[in-house]
Amino acid sequence: MSPSTGAALRMLAATVDAKAVAEIGTGTGVSGIHLLHGMRPDGVLTTVDPEPEHQQFARQAFRACGFASNRARFIPGRALDVLPRLADAGYDLVFCDGDRLELLEYLAESLRLLRPGGLVVFEGVFANGRTVDSGPQPTEVIRIRELLRAVRESQELVTSLLPVGDGLLCAVKR
Ligand SMILES: C[S@@+](CC[C@H](N)C(=O)[O-])C[C@H]1O[C@@H](n2cnc3c(N)ncnc32)[C@H](O)[C@@H]1O
């Protein structure tokens, strides 16, 4: 994740005064650290990833950055198995950085999870320029294009694509 994307994530978390954030794709915790910095000091990041080693690494990274252990809830598993168990309208921000083949499903789950005025954010929507490349593209790029169309056409969302890093798609739920 680029520094500019990290800075944008901090700013977005602060903009919605985030107390509860759901993250799809813990990875090594880079995005989580930025989100935690932008959230309220008592905010809790709920982060989902099927790879326990990734979550272990992120847990250590959060600790090394000085975040108390109760600032993050690590849930091992695939997003589409875990998200249905999370509370309706219980989140201020949902950050999607998991499986690109599941982007439309993440959008649908995010709309359920977000409170009105909450933000859904998708990382990497430029796909290194392939999203706007007219040549043949893999399924994950087709999914990104479908996501962009769905977000643009939604009456429920106010959207902006921030040209930071590899493209950060942001949408506020009305
Ligand atoms: C690009 S990395 C995330 C990077 C992370 N946000 C960071 O900044 O360190 C993608 C992550 O999504 C996880 N992932 C893959 N499929 C997933 C799924 N179905 N649900 C949730 N996470 C998934 C991978 O294990 C990987 O850790």
Side-chain angles (χ1 to χ4, degrees):
M1 168 167 297
S2 71
S4 58
T5 304
L9 282 184
R10 288 181 192 219
M11 182 272 292
L12 291 168
T15 299
V16 293
D17 196 23
K19 185 163 186 197
V21 172
E23 177 182 55
I24 302 169
T26 309
T28 54
V30 178
S31 49
I33 288 168
H34 288 292
L35 288 164
L36 283 165
H37 275 296
M39 294 168 68
R40 288 164 51 148
D42 58 344
V44 175
L45 174 73
T46 298
T47 184
V48 181
D49 201 296
E51 302 293 341
E53 320 85 72
H54 293 190
Q55 293 202 314
Q56 193 52 32
F57 196 97
R59 193 189 300 274
Q60 288 167 5
F62 293 176
R63 196 181 306 131
C65 287
F67 295 112
S69 58
N70 62 3
R71 295 285 317 273
R73 177 166 65 134
F74 291 89
I75 305 183
R78 297 183 62 79
L80 298 184
D81 295 330
V82 173
L83 297 181
R85 306 203 302 260
L86 304 184
D88 290 8
Y91 292 83
D92 305 298
L93 191 155
V94 180
F95 177 60
C96 304
D97 195 15
D99 184 345
R100 283 181 173 175
L101 297 178
E102 298 179 342
L103 294 173
L104 286 175
E105 290 85 352
Y106 294 167
L107 176 63
E109 283 296 327
S110 298
L111 288 172
R112 183 185 63 75
L113 293 171
L114 286 172
R115 62 157 168 90
L119 259 176
V120 59
V121 180
F122 290 84
E123 154 70 346
V125 296
F126 292 159
N128 296 312
R130 289 177 298 164
T131 306
V132 292
D133 186 330
S134 57
Q137 297 298 335
T139 308
E140 63 176 59
V141 174
I142 309 300
R143 292 283 173 273
I144 291 172
R145 290 176 183 161
E146 290 169 354
L147 172 72
L148 290 167
R149 196 173 312 120
V151 165
R152 190 175 61 239
E153 290 173 358
S154 171
Q155 301 296 309
E156 222 180 330
L157 294 169
V158 181
T159 306
S160 178
L161 203 175
L162 301 185
V164 292
D166 197 24
L168 203 60
L169 177 64
C170 308
V172 179
K173 180 179 166 181
R174 287 187 191 274

